[in-house]
PDB file of all heavy atoms in Angstrom:
ATOM      1  N   TYR A   1     -16.772  -4.232   5.052  1.00 96.00           N
ATOM      2  CA  TYR A   1     -18.026  -4.250   5.830  1.00 96.00           C
ATOM      3  C   TYR A   1     -18.781  -2.913   5.894  1.00 96.00           C
ATOM      4  O   TYR A   1     -19.981  -2.903   6.174  1.00 96.00           O
ATOM      5  CB  TYR A   1     -17.807  -4.795   7.228  1.00 96.00           C
ATOM      6  CG  TYR A   1     -16.844  -3.961   8.126  1.00 96.00           C
ATOM      7  CD1 TYR A   1     -17.260  -2.909   8.866  1.00 96.00           C
ATOM      8  CD2 TYR A   1     -15.457  -4.357   8.177  1.00 96.00           C
ATOM      9  CE1 TYR A   1     -16.378  -2.240   9.663  1.00 96.00           C
ATOM     10  CE2 TYR A   1     -14.594  -3.608   8.962  1.00 96.00           C
ATOM     11  CZ  TYR A   1     -15.013  -2.570   9.702  1.00 96.00           C
ATOM     12  OH  TYR A   1     -14.174  -1.896  10.499  1.00 96.00           O
ATOM     13  N   ASP A   2     -18.225  -1.782   5.549  1.00 92.00           N
ATOM     14  CA  ASP A   2     -19.024  -0.579   5.660  1.00 92.00           C
ATOM     15  C   ASP A   2     -19.913  -0.425   4.484  1.00 92.00           C
ATOM     16  O   ASP A   2     -19.695  -0.998   3.390  1.00 92.00           O
ATOM     17  CB  ASP A   2     -18.131   0.675   5.878  1.00 92.00           C
ATOM     18  CG  ASP A   2     -17.409   1.172   4.638  1.00 92.00           C
ATOM     19  OD1 ASP A   2     -17.862   0.951   3.523  1.00 92.00           O
ATOM     20  OD2 ASP A   2     -16.332   1.794   4.808  1.00 92.00           O
ATOM     21  N   THR A   3     -20.997   0.317   4.685  1.00 91.00           N
ATOM     22  CA  THR A   3     -22.060   0.463   3.634  1.00 91.00           C
ATOM     23  C   THR A   3     -21.637   1.438   2.527  1.00 91.00           C
ATOM     24  O   THR A   3     -22.166   1.270   1.408  1.00 91.00           O
ATOM     25  CB  THR A   3     -23.347   0.968   4.244  1.00 91.00           C
ATOM     26  OG1 THR A   3     -23.142   2.218   4.843  1.00 91.00           O
ATOM     27  CG2 THR A   3     -23.879   0.019   5.222  1.00 91.00           C
ATOM     28  N   TRP A   4     -20.736   2.352   2.770  1.00 87.00           N
ATOM     29  CA  TRP A   4     -20.378   3.348   1.803  1.00 87.00           C
ATOM     30  C   TRP A   4     -19.585   2.667   0.626  1.00 87.00           C
ATOM     31  O   TRP A   4     -19.807   3.099  -0.477  1.00 87.00           O
ATOM     32  CB  TRP A   4     -19.574   4.472   2.514  1.00 87.00           C
ATOM     33  CG  TRP A   4     -20.400   4.996   3.620  1.00 87.00           C
ATOM     34  CD1 TRP A   4     -21.464   5.833   3.567  1.00 87.00           C
ATOM     35  CD2 TRP A   4     -20.227   4.696   5.024  1.00 87.00           C
ATOM     36  NE1 TRP A   4     -21.965   6.097   4.776  1.00 87.00           N
ATOM     37  CE2 TRP A   4     -21.234   5.385   5.728  1.00 87.00           C
ATOM     38  CE3 TRP A   4     -19.325   3.927   5.718  1.00 87.00           C
ATOM     39  CZ2 TRP A   4     -21.384   5.372   7.094  1.00 87.00           C
ATOM     40  CZ3 TRP A   4     -19.458   3.888   7.092  1.00 87.00           C
ATOM     41  CH2 TRP A   4     -20.461   4.609   7.821  1.00 87.00           C
ATOM     42  N   HIS A   5     -18.678   1.840   0.884  1.00 86.00           N
ATOM     43  CA  HIS A   5     -17.992   1.154  -0.187  1.00 86.00           C
ATOM     44  C   HIS A   5     -18.902   0.317  -0.976  1.00 86.00           C
ATOM     45  O   HIS A   5     -18.725   0.087  -2.163  1.00 86.00           O
ATOM     46  CB  HIS A   5     -16.810   0.313   0.377  1.00 86.00           C
ATOM     47  CG  HIS A   5     -15.572   1.139   0.669  1.00 86.00           C
ATOM     48  ND1 HIS A   5     -15.490   1.811   1.831  1.00 86.00           N
ATOM     49  CD2 HIS A   5     -14.459   1.424  -0.023  1.00 86.00           C
ATOM     50  CE1 HIS A   5     -14.293   2.460   1.849  1.00 86.00           C
ATOM     51  NE2 HIS A   5     -13.671   2.191   0.717  1.00 86.00           N
ATOM     52  N   LYS A   6     -19.910  -0.247  -0.385  1.00 87.00           N
ATOM     53  CA  LYS A   6     -20.921  -1.081  -1.141  1.00 87.00           C
ATOM     54  C   LYS A   6     -21.717  -0.166  -2.077  1.00 87.00           C
ATOM     55  O   LYS A   6     -22.171  -0.612  -3.101  1.00 87.00           O
ATOM     56  CB  LYS A   6     -21.778  -1.892  -0.157  1.00 87.00           C
ATOM     57  CG  LYS A   6     -20.945  -2.930   0.551  1.00 87.00           C
ATOM     58  CD  LYS A   6     -21.757  -3.625   1.581  1.00 87.00           C
ATOM     59  CE  LYS A   6     -20.894  -4.637   2.382  1.00 87.00           C
ATOM     60  NZ  LYS A   6     -21.457  -5.251   3.451  1.00 87.00           N
ATOM     61  N   MET A   7     -21.961   1.063  -1.667  1.00 87.00           N
ATOM     62  CA  MET A   7     -22.741   2.013  -2.486  1.00 87.00           C
ATOM     63  C   MET A   7     -21.872   2.436  -3.777  1.00 87.00           C
ATOM     64  O   MET A   7     -22.486   2.767  -4.753  1.00 87.00           O
ATOM     65  CB  MET A   7     -22.992   3.306  -1.730  1.00 87.00           C
ATOM     66  CG  MET A   7     -24.200   3.221  -0.775  1.00 87.00           C
ATOM     67  SD  MET A   7     -24.683   4.829  -0.183  1.00 87.00           S
ATOM     68  CE  MET A   7     -23.521   5.023   1.125  1.00 87.00           C
ATOM     69  N   ASP A   8     -20.599   2.425  -3.624  1.00 87.00           N
ATOM     70  CA  ASP A   8     -19.773   2.916  -4.654  1.00 87.00           C
ATOM     71  C   ASP A   8     -18.557   1.996  -4.880  1.00 87.00           C
ATOM     72  O   ASP A   8     -17.414   2.294  -4.507  1.00 87.00           O
ATOM     73  CB  ASP A   8     -19.249   4.314  -4.255  1.00 87.00           C
ATOM     74  CG  ASP A   8     -18.712   5.120  -5.397  1.00 87.00           C
ATOM     75  OD1 ASP A   8     -18.516   4.552  -6.496  1.00 87.00           O
ATOM     76  OD2 ASP A   8     -18.421   6.359  -5.197  1.00 87.00           O
ATOM     77  N   PRO A   9     -18.823   0.831  -5.505  1.00 83.00           N
ATOM     78  CA  PRO A   9     -17.764  -0.198  -5.624  1.00 83.00           C
ATOM     79  C   PRO A   9     -16.601   0.226  -6.558  1.00 83.00           C
ATOM     80  O   PRO A   9     -15.519  -0.320  -6.393  1.00 83.00           O
ATOM     81  CB  PRO A   9     -18.477  -1.413  -6.230  1.00 83.00           C
ATOM     82  CG  PRO A   9     -19.810  -0.959  -6.726  1.00 83.00           C
ATOM     83  CD  PRO A   9     -20.091   0.344  -6.032  1.00 83.00           C
ATOM     84  N   SER A  10     -16.744   1.305  -7.326  1.00 88.00           N
ATOM     85  CA  SER A  10     -15.687   1.768  -8.201  1.00 88.00           C
ATOM     86  C   SER A  10     -14.787   2.764  -7.495  1.00 88.00           C
ATOM     87  O   SER A  10     -13.896   3.365  -8.105  1.00 88.00           O
ATOM     88  CB  SER A  10     -16.232   2.350  -9.495  1.00 88.00           C
ATOM     89  OG  SER A  10     -16.981   3.471  -9.176  1.00 88.00           O
ATOM     90  N   VAL A  11     -14.920   3.052  -6.167  1.00 91.00           N
ATOM     91  CA  VAL A  11     -14.177   4.023  -5.495  1.00 91.00           C
ATOM     92  C   VAL A  11     -12.758   3.721  -5.532  1.00 91.00           C
ATOM     93  O   VAL A  11     -12.286   2.548  -5.511  1.00 91.00           O
ATOM     94  CB  VAL A  11     -14.645   4.070  -3.972  1.00 91.00           C
ATOM     95  CG1 VAL A  11     -14.373   2.800  -3.173  1.00 91.00           C
ATOM     96  CG2 VAL A  11     -14.091   5.224  -3.276  1.00 91.00           C
ATOM     97  N   LYS A  12     -11.921   4.735  -5.640  1.00 94.00           N
ATOM     98  CA  LYS A  12     -10.452   4.645  -5.659  1.00 94.00           C
ATOM     99  C   LYS A  12      -9.933   4.874  -4.298  1.00 94.00           C
ATOM    100  O   LYS A  12     -10.332   5.853  -3.669  1.00 94.00           O
ATOM    101  CB  LYS A  12      -9.878   5.585  -6.720  1.00 94.00           C
ATOM    102  CG  LYS A  12     -10.238   5.185  -8.213  1.00 94.00           C
ATOM    103  CD  LYS A  12      -9.749   6.278  -9.108  1.00 94.00           C
ATOM    104  CE  LYS A  12     -10.099   5.992 -10.541  1.00 94.00           C
ATOM    105  NZ  LYS A  12     -11.535   5.727 -10.753  1.00 94.00           N
ATOM    106  N   ASN A  13      -9.029   3.984  -3.802  1.00 94.00           N
ATOM    107  CA  ASN A  13      -8.467   4.129  -2.486  1.00 94.00           C
ATOM    108  C   ASN A  13      -6.931   4.357  -2.545  1.00 94.00           C
ATOM    109  O   ASN A  13      -6.315   3.778  -3.429  1.00 94.00           O
ATOM    110  CB  ASN A  13      -8.781   2.903  -1.648  1.00 94.00           C
ATOM    111  CG  ASN A  13     -10.211   2.651  -1.565  1.00 94.00           C
ATOM    112  OD1 ASN A  13     -10.953   3.531  -1.079  1.00 94.00           O
ATOM    113  ND2 ASN A  13     -10.683   1.485  -1.854  1.00 94.00           N
ATOM    114  N   THR A  14      -6.441   5.180  -1.609  1.00 96.00           N
ATOM    115  CA  THR A  14      -5.006   5.274  -1.447  1.00 96.00           C
ATOM    116  C   THR A  14      -4.714   5.158   0.031  1.00 96.00           C
ATOM    117  O   THR A  14      -5.634   5.496   0.851  1.00 96.00           O
ATOM    118  CB  THR A  14      -4.450   6.547  -2.047  1.00 96.00           C
ATOM    119  OG1 THR A  14      -5.101   7.707  -1.362  1.00 96.00           O
ATOM    120  CG2 THR A  14      -4.598   6.713  -3.487  1.00 96.00           C
ATOM    121  N   THR A  15      -3.479   4.817   0.404  1.00 96.00           N
ATOM    122  CA  THR A  15      -3.106   4.645   1.786  1.00 96.00           C
ATOM    123  C   THR A  15      -1.795   5.337   2.007  1.00 96.00           C
ATOM    124  O   THR A  15      -0.990   5.490   1.116  1.00 96.00           O
ATOM    125  CB  THR A  15      -3.103   3.192   2.283  1.00 96.00           C
ATOM    126  OG1 THR A  15      -2.113   2.511   1.467  1.00 96.00           O
ATOM    127  CG2 THR A  15      -4.489   2.507   2.114  1.00 96.00           C
ATOM    128  N   SER A  16      -1.548   5.649   3.245  1.00 97.00           N
ATOM    129  CA  SER A  16      -0.261   6.254   3.709  1.00 97.00           C
ATOM    130  C   SER A  16       0.017   5.731   5.166  1.00 97.00           C
ATOM    131  O   SER A  16      -0.782   5.828   5.975  1.00 97.00           O
ATOM    132  CB  SER A  16      -0.400   7.747   3.670  1.00 97.00           C
ATOM    133  OG  SER A  16       0.655   8.399   4.346  1.00 97.00           O
ATOM    134  N   GLY A  17       1.310   5.251   5.259  1.00 97.00           N
ATOM    135  CA  GLY A  17       1.644   4.800   6.590  1.00 97.00           C
ATOM    136  C   GLY A  17       1.385   3.238   6.705  1.00 97.00           C
ATOM    137  O   GLY A  17       1.184   2.527   5.744  1.00 97.00           O
ATOM    138  N   SER A  18       1.443   2.791   7.940  1.00 97.00           N
ATOM    139  CA  SER A  18       1.296   1.404   8.229  1.00 97.00           C
ATOM    140  C   SER A  18      -0.018   1.110   8.853  1.00 97.00           C
ATOM    141  O   SER A  18      -0.319   1.573   9.946  1.00 97.00           O
ATOM    142  CB  SER A  18       2.478   0.921   9.164  1.00 97.00           C
ATOM    143  OG  SER A  18       2.355  -0.439   9.536  1.00 97.00           O
ATOM    144  N   ASP A  19      -0.859   0.338   8.120  1.00 97.00           N
ATOM    145  CA  ASP A  19      -2.305   0.119   8.546  1.00 97.00           C
ATOM    146  C   ASP A  19      -2.261  -0.606   9.973  1.00 97.00           C
ATOM    147  O   ASP A  19      -1.433  -1.426  10.306  1.00 97.00           O
ATOM    148  CB  ASP A  19      -3.010  -0.814   7.586  1.00 97.00           C
ATOM    149  CG  ASP A  19      -4.485  -0.677   7.661  1.00 97.00           C
ATOM    150  OD1 ASP A  19      -5.032  -0.005   8.581  1.00 97.00           O
ATOM    151  OD2 ASP A  19      -5.172  -1.372   6.847  1.00 97.00           O
ATOM    152  N   GLY A  20      -3.150  -0.095  10.761  1.00 97.00           N
ATOM    153  CA  GLY A  20      -3.287  -0.645  12.130  1.00 97.00           C
ATOM    154  C   GLY A  20      -2.434   0.065  13.149  1.00 97.00           C
ATOM    155  O   GLY A  20      -2.409  -0.357  14.277  1.00 97.00           O
ATOM    156  N   THR A  21      -1.800   1.204  12.683  1.00 98.00           N
ATOM    157  CA  THR A  21      -0.957   1.973  13.614  1.00 98.00           C
ATOM    158  C   THR A  21      -1.424   3.444  13.597  1.00 98.00           C
ATOM    159  O   THR A  21      -1.980   3.909  12.578  1.00 98.00           O
ATOM    160  CB  THR A  21       0.518   1.861  13.297  1.00 98.00           C
ATOM    161  OG1 THR A  21       0.721   2.407  11.946  1.00 98.00           O
ATOM    162  CG2 THR A  21       0.947   0.433  13.308  1.00 98.00           C
ATOM    163  N   VAL A  22      -1.097   4.179  14.641  1.00 98.00           N
ATOM    164  CA  VAL A  22      -1.339   5.609  14.654  1.00 98.00           C
ATOM    165  C   VAL A  22      -0.655   6.299  13.524  1.00 98.00           C
ATOM    166  O   VAL A  22       0.536   6.040  13.258  1.00 98.00           O
ATOM    167  CB  VAL A  22      -0.985   6.228  16.007  1.00 98.00           C
ATOM    168  CG1 VAL A  22      -1.078   7.737  16.006  1.00 98.00           C
ATOM    169  CG2 VAL A  22      -1.848   5.607  17.211  1.00 98.00           C
ATOM    170  N   GLY A  23      -1.443   7.158  12.850  1.00 98.00           N
ATOM    171  CA  GLY A  23      -0.809   7.978  11.698  1.00 98.00           C
ATOM    172  C   GLY A  23      -1.236   7.354  10.322  1.00 98.00           C
ATOM    173  O   GLY A  23      -1.031   8.035   9.342  1.00 98.00           O
ATOM    174  N   PHE A  24      -1.726   6.135  10.295  1.00 98.00           N
ATOM    175  CA  PHE A  24      -2.131   5.534   9.071  1.00 98.00           C
ATOM    176  C   PHE A  24      -3.337   6.378   8.483  1.00 98.00           C
ATOM    177  O   PHE A  24      -4.262   6.672   9.185  1.00 98.00           O
ATOM    178  CB  PHE A  24      -2.532   4.088   9.195  1.00 98.00           C
ATOM    179  CG  PHE A  24      -3.040   3.477   7.987  1.00 98.00           C
ATOM    180  CD1 PHE A  24      -2.229   3.036   6.993  1.00 98.00           C
ATOM    181  CD2 PHE A  24      -4.458   3.241   7.847  1.00 98.00           C
ATOM    182  CE1 PHE A  24      -2.717   2.450   5.818  1.00 98.00           C
ATOM    183  CE2 PHE A  24      -4.947   2.659   6.616  1.00 98.00           C
ATOM    184  CZ  PHE A  24      -4.055   2.260   5.625  1.00 98.00           C
ATOM    185  N   ILE A  25      -3.283   6.608   7.187  1.00 98.00           N
ATOM    186  CA  ILE A  25      -4.389   7.391   6.514  1.00 98.00           C
ATOM    187  C   ILE A  25      -4.927   6.494   5.372  1.00 98.00           C
ATOM    188  O   ILE A  25      -4.164   5.993   4.536  1.00 98.00           O
ATOM    189  CB  ILE A  25      -3.882   8.723   5.977  1.00 98.00           C
ATOM    190  CG1 ILE A  25      -3.428   9.586   7.129  1.00 98.00           C
ATOM    191  CG2 ILE A  25      -4.965   9.378   5.168  1.00 98.00           C
ATOM    192  CD1 ILE A  25      -2.817  10.919   6.726  1.00 98.00           C
ATOM    193  N   TYR A  26      -6.217   6.351   5.377  1.00 97.00           N
ATOM    194  CA  TYR A  26      -6.965   5.656   4.297  1.00 97.00           C
ATOM    195  C   TYR A  26      -7.781   6.681   3.587  1.00 97.00           C
ATOM    196  O   TYR A  26      -8.693   7.305   4.262  1.00 97.00           O
ATOM    197  CB  TYR A  26      -7.821   4.541   4.962  1.00 97.00           C
ATOM    198  CG  TYR A  26      -8.670   3.756   3.905  1.00 97.00           C
ATOM    199  CD1 TYR A  26      -8.110   2.660   3.301  1.00 97.00           C
ATOM    200  CD2 TYR A  26      -9.967   4.125   3.671  1.00 97.00           C
ATOM    201  CE1 TYR A  26      -8.809   1.978   2.359  1.00 97.00           C
ATOM    202  CE2 TYR A  26     -10.684   3.422   2.671  1.00 97.00           C
ATOM    203  CZ  TYR A  26     -10.085   2.321   2.092  1.00 97.00           C
ATOM    204  OH  TYR A  26     -10.884   1.668   1.165  1.00 97.00           O
ATOM    205  N   ALA A  27      -7.488   6.886   2.306  1.00 96.00           N
ATOM    206  CA  ALA A  27      -8.282   7.970   1.573  1.00 96.00           C
ATOM    207  C   ALA A  27      -9.127   7.374   0.551  1.00 96.00           C
ATOM    208  O   ALA A  27      -8.791   6.259   0.022  1.00 96.00           O
ATOM    209  CB  ALA A  27      -7.254   8.898   0.955  1.00 96.00           C
ATOM    210  N   TRP A  28     -10.208   7.980   0.183  1.00 95.00           N
ATOM    211  CA  TRP A  28     -11.111   7.481  -0.884  1.00 95.00           C
ATOM    212  C   TRP A  28     -11.520   8.604  -1.779  1.00 95.00           C
ATOM    213  O   TRP A  28     -11.519   9.786  -1.397  1.00 95.00           O
ATOM    214  CB  TRP A  28     -12.322   6.824  -0.275  1.00 95.00           C
ATOM    215  CG  TRP A  28     -13.180   7.812   0.480  1.00 95.00           C
ATOM    216  CD1 TRP A  28     -14.254   8.536  -0.003  1.00 95.00           C
ATOM    217  CD2 TRP A  28     -13.093   8.122   1.905  1.00 95.00           C
ATOM    218  NE1 TRP A  28     -14.781   9.312   0.959  1.00 95.00           N
ATOM    219  CE2 TRP A  28     -14.079   9.117   2.190  1.00 95.00           C
ATOM    220  CE3 TRP A  28     -12.287   7.763   2.938  1.00 95.00           C
ATOM    221  CZ2 TRP A  28     -14.327   9.630   3.402  1.00 95.00           C
ATOM    222  CZ3 TRP A  28     -12.469   8.276   4.133  1.00 95.00           C
ATOM    223  CH2 TRP A  28     -13.430   9.201   4.419  1.00 95.00           C
ATOM    224  N   ASP A  29     -11.857   8.268  -3.020  1.00 95.00           N
ATOM    225  CA  ASP A  29     -12.377   9.164  -3.965  1.00 95.00           C
ATOM    226  C   ASP A  29     -13.395   8.407  -4.879  1.00 95.00           C
ATOM    227  O   ASP A  29     -13.023   7.529  -5.613  1.00 95.00           O
ATOM    228  CB  ASP A  29     -11.222   9.717  -4.835  1.00 95.00           C
ATOM    229  CG  ASP A  29     -11.646  10.812  -5.783  1.00 95.00           C
ATOM    230  OD1 ASP A  29     -12.868  11.165  -5.797  1.00 95.00           O
ATOM    231  OD2 ASP A  29     -10.805  11.356  -6.535  1.00 95.00           O
ATOM    232  N   GLY A  30     -14.629   8.736  -4.690  1.00 92.00           N
ATOM    233  CA  GLY A  30     -15.714   7.983  -5.318  1.00 92.00           C
ATOM    234  C   GLY A  30     -16.684   8.914  -5.955  1.00 92.00           C
ATOM    235  O   GLY A  30     -16.973  10.002  -5.471  1.00 92.00           O
ATOM    236  N   GLU A  31     -17.394   8.398  -6.967  1.00 90.00           N
ATOM    237  CA  GLU A  31     -18.424   9.207  -7.663  1.00 90.00           C
ATOM    238  C   GLU A  31     -19.634   9.424  -6.737  1.00 90.00           C
ATOM    239  O   GLU A  31     -20.183  10.534  -6.681  1.00 90.00           O
ATOM    240  CB  GLU A  31     -18.826   8.441  -8.926  1.00 90.00           C
ATOM    241  CG  GLU A  31     -19.753   9.248  -9.798  1.00 90.00           C
ATOM    242  CD  GLU A  31     -20.050   8.577 -11.124  1.00 90.00           C
ATOM    243  OE1 GLU A  31     -19.163   8.158 -11.766  1.00 90.00           O
ATOM    244  OE2 GLU A  31     -21.267   8.445 -11.449  1.00 90.00           O
ATOM    245  N   LYS A  32     -19.994   8.364  -5.974  1.00 88.00           N
ATOM    246  CA  LYS A  32     -21.193   8.432  -5.192  1.00 88.00           C
ATOM    247  C   LYS A  32     -20.905   8.896  -3.701  1.00 88.00           C
ATOM    248  O   LYS A  32     -21.708   9.490  -3.081  1.00 88.00           O
ATOM    249  CB  LYS A  32     -21.926   7.106  -5.164  1.00 88.00           C
ATOM    250  CG  LYS A  32     -22.502   6.734  -6.526  1.00 88.00           C
ATOM    251  CD  LYS A  32     -23.179   5.372  -6.462  1.00 88.00           C
ATOM    252  CE  LYS A  32     -23.706   5.001  -7.834  1.00 88.00           C
ATOM    253  NZ  LYS A  32     -24.281   3.637  -7.807  1.00 88.00           N
ATOM    254  N   ILE A  33     -19.723   8.457  -3.209  1.00 89.00           N
ATOM    255  CA  ILE A  33     -19.405   8.766  -1.822  1.00 89.00           C
ATOM    256  C   ILE A  33     -18.553   9.902  -1.608  1.00 89.00           C
ATOM    257  O   ILE A  33     -18.146  10.266  -0.430  1.00 89.00           O
ATOM    258  CB  ILE A  33     -18.918   7.466  -1.051  1.00 89.00           C
ATOM    259  CG1 ILE A  33     -17.596   6.984  -1.641  1.00 89.00           C
ATOM    260  CG2 ILE A  33     -19.942   6.432  -1.044  1.00 89.00           C
ATOM    261  CD1 ILE A  33     -16.893   5.864  -0.864  1.00 89.00           C
ATOM    262  N   GLY A  34     -18.083  10.595  -2.691  1.00 92.00           N
ATOM    263  CA  GLY A  34     -17.305  11.768  -2.484  1.00 92.00           C
ATOM    264  C   GLY A  34     -15.837  11.424  -2.288  1.00 92.00           C
ATOM    265  O   GLY A  34     -15.355  10.337  -2.548  1.00 92.00           O
ATOM    266  N   GLN A  35     -15.194  12.457  -1.697  1.00 95.00           N
ATOM    267  CA  GLN A  35     -13.724  12.377  -1.456  1.00 95.00           C
ATOM    268  C   GLN A  35     -13.516  12.652  -0.002  1.00 95.00           C
ATOM    269  O   GLN A  35     -14.044  13.569   0.627  1.00 95.00           O
ATOM    270  CB  GLN A  35     -13.004  13.322  -2.363  1.00 95.00           C
ATOM    271  CG  GLN A  35     -11.467  13.218  -2.271  1.00 95.00           C
ATOM    272  CD  GLN A  35     -10.828  14.266  -3.212  1.00 95.00           C
ATOM    273  OE1 GLN A  35     -11.373  15.389  -3.400  1.00 95.00           O
ATOM    274  NE2 GLN A  35      -9.682  13.925  -3.657  1.00 95.00           N
ATOM    275  N   GLY A  36     -12.530  11.944   0.554  1.00 95.00           N
ATOM    276  CA  GLY A  36     -12.151  12.158   1.960  1.00 95.00           C
ATOM    277  C   GLY A  36     -11.018  11.220   2.435  1.00 95.00           C
ATOM    278  O   GLY A  36     -10.492  10.484   1.640  1.00 95.00           O
ATOM    279  N   GLU A  37     -10.784  11.295   3.715  1.00 97.00           N
ATOM    280  CA  GLU A  37      -9.737  10.411   4.286  1.00 97.00           C
ATOM    281  C   GLU A  37     -10.054  10.164   5.824  1.00 97.00           C
ATOM    282  O   GLU A  37     -10.785  10.947   6.418  1.00 97.00           O
ATOM    283  CB  GLU A  37      -8.393  11.011   4.158  1.00 97.00           C
ATOM    284  CG  GLU A  37      -8.176  12.254   4.881  1.00 97.00           C
ATOM    285  CD  GLU A  37      -6.842  12.937   4.593  1.00 97.00           C
ATOM    286  OE1 GLU A  37      -6.179  12.599   3.563  1.00 97.00           O
ATOM    287  OE2 GLU A  37      -6.348  13.675   5.443  1.00 97.00           O
ATOM    288  N   GLN A  38      -9.531   9.078   6.240  1.00 97.00           N
ATOM    289  CA  GLN A  38      -9.688   8.725   7.651  1.00 97.00           C
ATOM    290  C   GLN A  38      -8.252   8.379   8.218  1.00 97.00           C
ATOM    291  O   GLN A  38      -7.622   7.555   7.605  1.00 97.00           O
ATOM    292  CB  GLN A  38     -10.622   7.516   7.739  1.00 97.00           C
ATOM    293  CG  GLN A  38     -10.943   7.113   9.152  1.00 97.00           C
ATOM    294  CD  GLN A  38     -11.993   5.991   9.234  1.00 97.00           C
ATOM    295  OE1 GLN A  38     -12.357   5.351   8.310  1.00 97.00           O
ATOM    296  NE2 GLN A  38     -12.630   5.858  10.394  1.00 97.00           N
ATOM    297  N   GLU A  39      -7.990   8.979   9.298  1.00 98.00           N
ATOM    298  CA  GLU A  39      -6.623   8.792   9.881  1.00 98.00           C
ATOM    299  C   GLU A  39      -6.761   8.192  11.324  1.00 98.00           C
ATOM    300  O   GLU A  39      -7.607   8.712  12.105  1.00 98.00           O
ATOM    301  CB  GLU A  39      -5.903  10.148  10.002  1.00 98.00           C
ATOM    302  CG  GLU A  39      -4.545  10.012  10.669  1.00 98.00           C
ATOM    303  CD  GLU A  39      -3.807  11.390  10.703  1.00 98.00           C
ATOM    304  OE1 GLU A  39      -4.384  12.386  10.279  1.00 98.00           O
ATOM    305  OE2 GLU A  39      -2.638  11.366  11.243  1.00 98.00           O
ATOM    306  N   ILE A  40      -5.962   7.172  11.614  1.00 98.00           N
ATOM    307  CA  ILE A  40      -5.908   6.583  12.947  1.00 98.00           C
ATOM    308  C   ILE A  40      -5.225   7.616  13.816  1.00 98.00           C
ATOM    309  O   ILE A  40      -4.050   7.974  13.580  1.00 98.00           O
ATOM    310  CB  ILE A  40      -5.212   5.177  12.966  1.00 98.00           C
ATOM    311  CG1 ILE A  40      -6.033   4.211  12.080  1.00 98.00           C
ATOM    312  CG2 ILE A  40      -5.121   4.739  14.419  1.00 98.00           C
ATOM    313  CD1 ILE A  40      -5.300   2.857  11.949  1.00 98.00           C
ATOM    314  N   THR A  41      -5.850   8.026  14.908  1.00 98.00           N
ATOM    315  CA  THR A  41      -5.277   9.042  15.818  1.00 98.00           C
ATOM    316  C   THR A  41      -4.912   8.431  17.119  1.00 98.00           C
ATOM    317  O   THR A  41      -4.110   9.094  17.856  1.00 98.00           O
ATOM    318  CB  THR A  41      -6.229  10.225  16.009  1.00 98.00           C
ATOM    319  OG1 THR A  41      -7.474   9.734  16.519  1.00 98.00           O
ATOM    320  CG2 THR A  41      -6.422  10.952  14.723  1.00 98.00           C
ATOM    321  N   ASN A  42      -5.443   7.348  17.507  1.00 98.00           N
ATOM    322  CA  ASN A  42      -5.167   6.777  18.842  1.00 98.00           C
ATOM    323  C   ASN A  42      -5.574   5.242  18.783  1.00 98.00           C
ATOM    324  O   ASN A  42      -6.641   4.891  18.221  1.00 98.00           O
ATOM    325  CB  ASN A  42      -5.964   7.455  19.956  1.00 98.00           C
ATOM    326  CG  ASN A  42      -5.652   6.896  21.315  1.00 98.00           C
ATOM    327  OD1 ASN A  42      -4.489   6.814  21.675  1.00 98.00           O
ATOM    328  ND2 ASN A  42      -6.654   6.510  22.006  1.00 98.00           N
ATOM    329  N   ILE A  43      -4.712   4.448  19.416  1.00 98.00           N
ATOM    330  CA  ILE A  43      -5.055   3.024  19.576  1.00 98.00           C
ATOM    331  C   ILE A  43      -4.737   2.613  20.999  1.00 98.00           C
ATOM    332  O   ILE A  43      -3.670   2.863  21.557  1.00 98.00           O
ATOM    333  CB  ILE A  43      -4.269   2.183  18.608  1.00 98.00           C
ATOM    334  CG1 ILE A  43      -4.720   2.363  17.199  1.00 98.00           C
ATOM    335  CG2 ILE A  43      -4.405   0.599  19.024  1.00 98.00           C
ATOM    336  CD1 ILE A  43      -4.012   1.555  16.162  1.00 98.00           C
TER     337      ILE A  43
END
């Protein structure tokens, strides 16, 4: 649903941890949207 993935459909994603829990990291590397990561810090 986010607009950034729609801008760069060839983006490469990696994950670490258990999705939906504190500490999970979702990382991206794309030509148009750059490189970064998002970590769940609190639920």
Side-chain angles (χ1 to χ4, degrees):
Y1 60 88
D2 76 29
T3 59
W4 305 285
H5 280 81
K6 292 174 183 173
M7 279 191 279
D8 198 349
S10 65
V11 67
K12 292 174 181 55
N13 300 305
T14 58
T15 62
S16 166
S18 181
D19 200 357
T21 64
V22 172
F24 176 76
I25 297 174
Y26 179 86
W28 66 89
D29 187 357
E31 187 176 309
K32 293 180 183 173
I33 62 172
Q35 183 182 32
E37 63 185 22
Q38 186 173 15
E39 179 179 359
I40 298 175
T41 58
N42 182 50
I43 292 179

